[in-house]
């Protein structure tokens, strides 16, 4: 049971930062940016490249995160601001094009073969009868620290109050003297940097590969929708629910149903669990588990 919970927590950390960033920026720009998951893929490749050139792993992750945030900001200023003039549907379609271009760019530069980190071997940490590698434990710790810092900024600082005010009522926020564009740029950079960090840390276990963003697309969006698009804290809760469901699907013994000793679903069915949760959410809780009404395309 403990190993099941740890596996679910590890899967939640794969999704939480990226879903948090997606929901954070949606609260301001009001369109689902499909390219957001590819920022995680970009962060993974940037981390690998920097580390391959001799940069220590921690600075490599930090620098890759910052570079991803800068690229996100550039795309927002040069592309998405113009696309949003045509409406959120046009911006969403444009984000799909950006996502495909980023994949093609990385494929042309790095090729299709996964880039695996050469990390020193270390004995797994024992927690009761469960096992977790040092890299996984570090991943969980960093994720929790980043989320805690982000929540503190959102709810305990002047900048956070301005961000929430702008997300709730842009017209009133502008009338109150808030610099809407500056806040939007700040949140855009932060969301991209968080996604890049999440992708870089995920690549430590899976390697940097072209399908990293595609593999994250459905569960990340399912988590963000479950929490209510525009509700970053809800997105983290949605990521945890998605992780618990996916882990249960692949760890549940169905043998007793068909009269066999052990029967488990293959890992390929993980995406099916995300599809099911997303469909149920759209049918019964279209505004998320916390009933926060949002505008959707």
């Amino acid at each position: 049971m403990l190993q099941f919970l740890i596996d679910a927590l590890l899967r939640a950390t794969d999704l939480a930062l990226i879903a948090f960033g997606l929901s954070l920026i949606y609260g301001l720009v009001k369109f689902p940016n499909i390219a957001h998951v590819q920022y995680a893929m970009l962060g993974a490749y940037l981390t690998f490249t920097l580390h391959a050139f001799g940069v220590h792993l921690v600075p490599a992750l930090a620098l890759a995160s910052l570079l991803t945030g800068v690229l996100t900001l550039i795309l927002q200023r040069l592309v998405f601001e113009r696309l949003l003039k045509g409406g959120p549907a046009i911006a969403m379609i444009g984000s799909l094009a950006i996502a495909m271009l980023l994949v093609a760019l990385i494929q042309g530069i790095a090729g299709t073969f996964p880039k695996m980190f050469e990390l020193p071997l270390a004995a797994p940490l024992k927690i009761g009868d469960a096992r977790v590698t040092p890299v996984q434990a570090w991943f969980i710790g960093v994720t929790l620290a980043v989320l805690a810092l982000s929540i503190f900024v959102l709810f305990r600082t002047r900048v956070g109050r301005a961000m929430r005010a702008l997300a709730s009522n842009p017209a009133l926020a502008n009338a109150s003297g808030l610099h809407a564009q500056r806040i939007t740029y700040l949140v855009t950079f932060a969301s991209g940097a968080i996604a890049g960090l999440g992708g870089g840390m995920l690549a430590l276990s899976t390697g940097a590969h072209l399908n990293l963003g595609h593999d994250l697309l459905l569960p990340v969006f399912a988590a963000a929708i479950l929490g209510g698009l525009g509700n970053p804290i809800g997105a983290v809760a949605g990521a945890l629910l998605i992780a618990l469901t996916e882990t249960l699907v692949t760890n549940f013994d169905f043998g007793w149903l068909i009269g066999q000793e052990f029967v488990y679903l293959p890992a390929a069915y993980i995406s099916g669990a995300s599809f099911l949760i997303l469909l149920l959410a759209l049918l019964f809780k279209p505004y998320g588990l916390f009933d926060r009404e949002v505008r959707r395309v």
Side-chain angles (χ1 to χ4, degrees):
M1 182 62 181
L2 183 58
Q3 186 66 59
F4 170 83
L5 294 176
I6 289 177
D7 290 343
L9 181 59
L10 288 170
R11 179 56 177 166
T13 55
D14 292 345
L15 308 176
L17 288 180
I18 304 165
F20 181 90
L22 173 65
S23 198
L24 184 68
I25 189 60
Y26 181 92
L28 297 184
V29 299
K30 303 301 182 186
F31 82 95
N33 187 351
I34 297 174
H36 189 82
V37 292
Q38 302 303 344
Y39 300 155
M41 182 268 295
L42 181 63
Y45 274 96
L46 286 173
T47 302
F48 175 84
T49 302
L50 291 168
H51 188 56
F53 276 99
V55 181
H56 190 271
L57 189 57
V58 174
L61 281 166
L63 185 55
S65 174
L66 293 176
L67 290 174
T68 306
V70 170
L71 175 65
T72 305
L73 182 56
I74 292 173
L75 289 174
Q76 174 66 25
R77 296 195 64 175
L78 298 183
V79 179
F80 292 120
E81 283 187 355
R82 298 185 182 186
L83 291 176
L84 280 168
K85 294 177 181 178
I90 298 299
M92 185 184 70
I93 295 171
S95 72
L96 177 59
I98 292 294
M100 296 299 101
L101 287 173
L102 287 175
V103 172
L105 177 64
I106 295 298
Q107 182 176 352
I109 296 174
T112 58
F113 195 77
K115 308 297 183 181
M116 304 302 298
F117 287 81
E118 295 182 1
L119 301 176
L121 296 177
L125 305 175
K126 297 181 181 180
I127 307 174
D129 59 349
R131 302 291 185 273
V132 60
T133 68
V135 170
Q136 290 171 333
W138 185 76
F139 190 2
I140 293 173
V142 172
T143 299
L144 292 176
V146 172
L147 290 176
L149 177 61
S150 301
I151 292 170
F152 176 81
V153 171
L154 271 176
F155 293 98
R156 297 295 182 184
T157 67
R158 188 173 182 179
V159 173
R161 288 192 292 271
M163 290 162 52
R164 290 186 286 119
L166 184 59
S168 299
N169 194 325
L172 181 59
N174 279 322
S176 301
L178 295 178
H179 198 302
Q181 190 177 58
R182 185 181 301 168
I183 295 172
T184 301
Y185 289 160
L186 175 62
V187 174
T188 298
F189 172 81
S191 67
I194 291 173
L197 177 62
M201 291 193 296
L202 178 58
L204 297 179
S205 299
T206 66
H209 57 93
L210 289 175
N211 287 328
L212 190 146
H214 294 308
D215 294 342
L216 290 170
L217 178 63
L218 182 62
V220 163
F221 270 82
I225 291 172
L226 276 174
L229 277 170
N231 185 346
I233 310 303
V236 176
L240 183 58
L241 179 58
I242 292 289
L244 285 169
T245 305
E246 291 183 347
T247 307
L248 179 63
V249 164
T250 53
N251 283 271
F252 186 78
D253 182 8
F254 292 91
W256 61 277
L257 290 174
I258 58 177
Q260 296 188 20
E261 188 174 1
F262 297 108
V263 176
Y264 293 94
L265 291 176
Y269 281 83
I270 286 179
S271 60
S274 299
F275 268 116
L276 178 60
I277 294 179
L278 180 58
L279 179 60
L280 292 175
L282 291 173
L283 285 173
F284 299 106
K285 301 289 288 185
Y287 297 123
L289 296 175
F290 302 101
D291 292 325
R292 175 172 178 173
E293 186 174 351
V294 293
R295 287 179 289 172
R296 289 218 180 88
V297 177

